[in-house]
Amino acid sequence: MTIQSKMWISNTCQEIQHPWTDKCTNAVAGLLLSSTPYCLKVYTMVYMLSMLMRHKVPTKGDLYKMVLGILQSTAFLVTNAYTFTLFACLLRNLLGGFHISTVAFIPSVLSSFSAIVVERPKRRSLLALYVANVATETLWNMAEARGWVKSIPNGQALIFGSSISVLLYLYRLGLHQSNTCKDSMFDILRIFVGKTEEGPLKSLQITNEEPANQSRTPINLSSISGLVQIYSKFLAAIKGRHQCCPHQGSCLHYVLMGGLRPLLGGISLQVALKILLNIKNIIQMKIKWHKNMFNAKTLNLGLFMGCFSLLYKAASCTLRHSFNCDDARFAIPAGLLSSISFIFYPDITVALYVMWKMLQIIYNVGIEKKYVPCMPGFTMILYTLCTATLFHAGIVEPRTLRESYFKFLQAISGERFCKFQLAPLDAFGYDTGRATEEVRHRLRIINKSPLPKWSLADW
C-alpha cells in the first residue's frame, strides 16, 4: 500500500462525482429519481418473501402493513443513496476542495445517519449487523493491504468456532429462553444440535454402585475369553446410554442419526436453491444437470451441517461418559471440535454473521448483568460508521470491498458508480484510478452510455 502523498485536492465535485452535469442539484435529483425504482423492487421482494415464509394467508391488515413497510424501507435506502451526493457536494463547496475524509467517509456518515432515522426501529438492528459483517471484512482487507495483519488458512473456521461455542454454551445454560438472549440464531442451533441438548440442564442422581452379581474378576488378556469380555464391554459402551445423556436410545444411534439428518437436509437445500436460481434455464431446457446441479459443490453445505452435528454430539456424549456428569461447559470444547466441519463450507459471510450475533447477544447479557453500560442509539451509530467505511472503500480503496457490495453500490446509484472519475484521487496515494478500473473489469461493469439514467444534464 502506497503512503499518502497529499491530504487535499482542489478538484470540483463535477470533475469527480457527477461529470455529466455541472449542477449539483441536478446530480442529486437525478440520483433520487433513478435509485427509487431499484430500491422499491428490492424491498418489494424482501417483504413478499418474508410474508411467504410465515406460511399463512395474509389478511388485509397484513397486506396494509407490508405496503407501509415497503414504502418506509424504500425511503430509507433512497435517502441513503441521494443524500450521499448531496452532502459530498455540500462539503466540497464549503471547503473548496476534497480531503481524504470528505471524499466518501464523512458524507456517508451524514447520509447513513439521515437514512437510518427513516427506517423502522425493528429493522435497524438487522441492517446494522449486515453492514457490520461486510465492514469487518473490508477493514481486515485494508489492514492486510497495509501489511498490518496477515490472513491464515481456514481463519474463518476459527472465527466461526469461537463464536458458535459461546452461543452453544448459552444454549446449554438455557439463557436463550430469556428475553435478553432471545434470538432466531438459537432456532438455527436447535436444528443443528437438537432440542435434547437445550438447557437449562436437569439435575440427575448418578449412581456409581455396581450390581452385586457383577463379576469383579480381572480380565485375562492372554485367553480368548478375556478378549471376548473386552469386545462385549466395548459393544455395551457404544450401544448403551450414559445416565447423564439427555437423549433417548444409545449414544451411537444418537450421534449417527444426528449427523445423517442435517447431511440430507443440507444437500436437499443446496439442490433446491440451485433449481430456484436456474429456473429459467430449466424451463428452456438449457441446463446441464451434471455440471450445474449434481456436482461436488452440491455436497458442501450438507457435509458441513452433517459433520457439525455429528462431531458436536459425539464430543458431548464422550465428555458425559468421561466425567460422569453433564455440564453446560462441555458445549465449548464440543463446539470448537465441531467447527472443523466449517472447512467444507468456508463462507466468511456466515462466520462473521455468527460472530456479530454472538457479540450482540453477549452485549445484551452484559447490559442485563450491569457489566457494561447501555449506549443509547448504539445500533444507529454502528450502522452509520460501518456504512461510511463501505462507501469509503468503494470509492477510495475498491480492492478491499466485497464484490457483491460493489455491485450493490453500482445498482443503487442508477449505474452512476462506474461513471465517477476517480483518477484525481490517486493524489491520496491509494492508486484509486487503476484499482477502480481493475475491479470494474473483473466484475464486467461496462460504461454503456456517457449519461446515466435521469442525468438531467440539459436542465
Side-chain angles (χ1 to χ4, degrees):
M1 176 62 67
T2 307
I3 300 175
Q4 296 176 9
S5 56
K6 291 174 62 177
M7 298 299 290
W8 285 90
I9 56 176
S10 58
N11 299 76
T12 65
C13 45
Q14 180 190 2
E15 292 174 337
I16 295 178
Q17 294 186 341
H18 49 86
W20 55 88
T21 178
D22 59 348
K23 297 179 182 178
C24 296
T25 52
N26 288 5
V28 173
L31 183 53
L32 170 63
L33 293 172
S34 60
S35 63
T36 300
Y38 173 78
C39 297
L40 185 61
K41 176 184 176 181
V42 167
Y43 276 108
T44 299
M45 293 177 63
V46 168
Y47 276 84
M48 288 185 66
L49 182 61
S50 177
M51 182 70 72
L52 290 173
M53 291 178 65
R54 295 178 186 176
H55 302 291
K56 67 174 186 178
V57 179
T59 63
K60 289 183 179 180
D62 294 333
L63 294 175
Y64 178 73
K65 290 180 180 179
M66 184 181 73
V67 171
L68 289 181
I70 292 172
L71 295 177
Q72 189 170 3
S73 294
T74 300
F76 146 75
L77 197 54
V78 171
T79 301
N80 212 153
Y82 84 88
T83 56
F84 170 76
T85 300
L86 172 66
F87 287 119
C89 292
L90 182 61
L91 288 172
R92 163 60 185 81
N93 290 318
L94 288 175
L95 299 176
F98 284 106
H99 185 264
I100 180 64
S101 62
T102 62
V103 172
F105 188 81
I106 293 180
S108 183
V109 166
L110 299 173
S111 65
S112 300
F113 187 80
S114 302
I116 198 65
V117 171
V118 176
E119 183 58 288
R120 292 187 303 159
K122 289 183 178 180
R123 284 187 50 81
R124 291 172 185 171
S125 177
L126 180 63
L127 291 166
L129 284 176
Y130 170 72
V131 293
N133 184 325
V134 186
T136 303
E137 181 183 353
T138 302
L139 288 171
W140 178 269
N141 292 337
M142 287 181 178
E144 190 173 29
R146 289 162 171 79
W148 297 346
V149 296
K150 186 178 180 180
S151 296
I152 60 174
N154 298 315
Q156 61 270 30
L158 295 176
I159 297 173
F160 175 80
S162 57
S163 303
I164 203 72
S165 298
V166 175
L167 293 174
L168 286 167
Y169 175 61
L170 297 176
Y171 182 74
R172 294 233 69 202
L173 284 175
L175 294 180
H176 66 289
Q177 297 177 357
S178 64
N179 292 329
T180 304
C181 295
K182 206 165 189 179
D183 195 275
S184 59
M185 190 67 198
F186 292 108
D187 295 331
I188 299 175
L189 286 182
R190 189 178 291 111
I191 296 174
F192 277 85
V193 301
K195 192 174 178 61
T196 55
E197 298 287 344
E198 186 175 8
L201 304 183
K202 298 178 181 179
S203 58
L204 296 172
Q205 290 289 340
I206 307 301
T207 58
N208 293 321
E209 297 180 359
E210 296 181 356
N213 59 349
Q214 183 173 341
S215 175
R216 296 178 180 269
T217 305
I219 298 175
N220 184 8
L221 298 179
S222 62
S223 64
I224 297 178
S225 61
L227 297 176
V228 172
Q229 281 182 291
I230 293 175
Y231 180 69
S232 300
K233 287 180 178 291
F234 173 74
L235 288 180
I238 63 174
K239 290 183 178 180
R241 167 185 166 274
H242 195 273
Q243 291 174 307
C244 295
C245 289
H247 57 82
Q248 300 295 325
S250 69
C251 292
L252 180 62
H253 180 269
Y254 174 66
V255 169
L256 293 179
M257 292 306 297
L260 182 61
R261 292 192 186 100
L263 172 66
L264 298 177
I267 295 174
S268 301
L269 179 61
Q270 195 82 336
V271 171
L273 287 174
K274 287 191 174 185
I275 291 176
L276 184 63
L277 294 174
N278 293 278
I279 189 67
K280 183 178 179 181
N281 292 331
I282 292 174
I283 294 175
Q284 296 176 353
M285 302 296 290
K286 294 181 179 180
I287 190 170
K288 296 180 180 179
W289 291 94
H290 179 71
K291 182 179 179 181
N292 297 329
M293 300 292 294
F294 304 110
N295 49 43
K297 292 183 179 180
T298 306
L299 302 175
N300 290 346
L301 181 59
L303 287 173
F304 158 59
M305 294 175 63
C307 290
F308 181 89
S309 180
L310 185 145
L311 290 174
Y312 178 82
K313 292 180 176 181
S316 298
C317 286
T318 301
L319 289 168
R320 286 189 282 258
H321 278 269
S322 301
F323 291 92
N324 203 34
C325 67
D326 195 9
D327 196 313
R329 289 172 292 183
F330 291 166
I332 297 176
L336 290 172
L337 177 64
S338 59
S339 65
I340 296 174
S341 62
F342 200 67
I343 62 176
F344 292 115
Y345 195 75
D347 193 318
I348 188 62
T349 303
V350 174
L352 292 176
Y353 176 79
V354 174
M355 183 192 76
W356 275 103
K357 270 293 182 182
M358 181 270 294
L359 293 175
Q360 179 193 28
I361 294 170
I362 291 296
Y363 177 66
N364 291 336
V365 173
I367 292 175
E368 184 185 37
K369 302 291 185 181
K370 297 183 179 179
Y371 296 148
V372 294
C374 179
M375 293 179 59
F378 176 76
T379 300
M380 299 172 67
I381 295 172
L382 179 64
Y383 173 83
T384 298
L385 295 178
C386 290
T387 305
T389 301
L390 297 177
F391 270 70
H392 168 84
I395 293 178
V396 182
E397 305 179 56
R399 290 193 186 101
T400 63
L401 186 64
R402 187 183 295 177
E403 292 183 351
S404 60
Y405 202 85
F406 194 94
K407 291 180 180 179
F408 169 74
L409 293 178
Q410 168 72 357
I412 198 177
S413 65
E415 299 183 355
R416 283 164 168 74
F417 207 61
C418 66
K419 301 182 187 303
F420 289 179
Q421 302 298 323
L422 301 179
L425 302 186
D426 289 346
F428 295 133
Y430 293 103
D431 196 20
T432 303
R434 186 172 64 176
T436 302
E437 290 301 321
E438 288 178 2
V439 173
R440 290 173 182 173
H441 178 73
R442 185 168 67 250
L443 300 181
R444 299 179 181 178
I445 297 176
I446 303 173
N447 199 349
K448 300 178 182 179
S449 170
L451 297 177
K453 298 177 182 178
W454 295 95
S455 64
L456 305 182
D458 298 331
W459 284 45

